Amino acid sequence: NEINREIAMELLKMTNITVDYAEDGKEAVDKFMKNGDRYDLILMDVQMPVMDGYEATELIRKSSHPRAGTIPIIAMTANSFKEDSDAAAQAGMTGFVSKPVDMAYLLDVLKQNLYK
């Protein structure tokens, strides 16, 4: 939802993170395919219109982009059950953050995935 996205973007910008966004999963895939070298990490909402985050992640992972297999993709979802984190991992996501987002935890997940 737009309000949650704007809040998350502002919080990330306050930590000097450059942020881009996609309205839906298809747009996320398209942006990655066109400009994937610009991104260090993808925060992928699981529930999006047009194409959900699982399908978008699978398409990115199966794509021919040179970073398709290595770019960290972090699931963001209101669902925080084990089967949700398992589904995220099976789709190719490398991390899992539940909503509402705990900013300290999100920053920790970002650090773990950006500075390996």
Side-chain angles (χ1 to χ4, degrees):
N1 113 5
E2 188 174 337
I3 292 171
N4 289 340
R5 179 180 63 235
E6 288 181 22
I7 291 169
M9 287 176 63
E10 287 306 313
L11 290 170
L12 291 169
K13 286 178 186 178
M14 288 172 26
T15 63
N16 293 321
I17 294 174
T18 303
V19 179
D20 189 10
Y21 73 94
E23 293 283 336
D24 57 60
K26 181 180 180 328
E27 184 180 354
V29 172
D30 292 345
K31 282 186 168 199
F32 176 77
M33 293 303 296
K34 184 176 180 181
N35 297 306
D37 293 333
R38 289 183 44 209
Y39 303 110
D40 294 319
L41 182 139
I42 299 170
L43 289 173
M44 185 73 76
D45 196 333
V46 171
Q47 297 175 344
M48 292 185 288
V50 181
M51 179 187 299
D52 69 30
Y54 298 126
E55 185 178 357
T57 298
E58 289 172 355
L59 286 174
I60 288 170
R61 293 294 187 219
K62 292 176 183 176
S63 77
S64 61
H65 192 282
R67 298 195 56 221
T70 59
I71 189 163
I73 302 176
I74 309 302
M76 293 187 74
T77 180
N79 302 321
S80 59
F81 299 106
K82 175 148 176 34
E83 53 267 15
D84 300 305
S85 63
D86 290 347
Q90 186 162 354
M93 296 177 178
T94 53
F96 186 87
V97 176
S98 61
K99 297 187 270 184
V101 174
D102 173 332
M103 195 61 184
Y105 179 72
L106 174 59
L107 291 175
D108 187 48
V109 170
L110 294 179
K111 287 177 191 174
Q112 290 173 20
N113 283 274
L114 287 172
Y115 307 111
K116 288 183 177 183

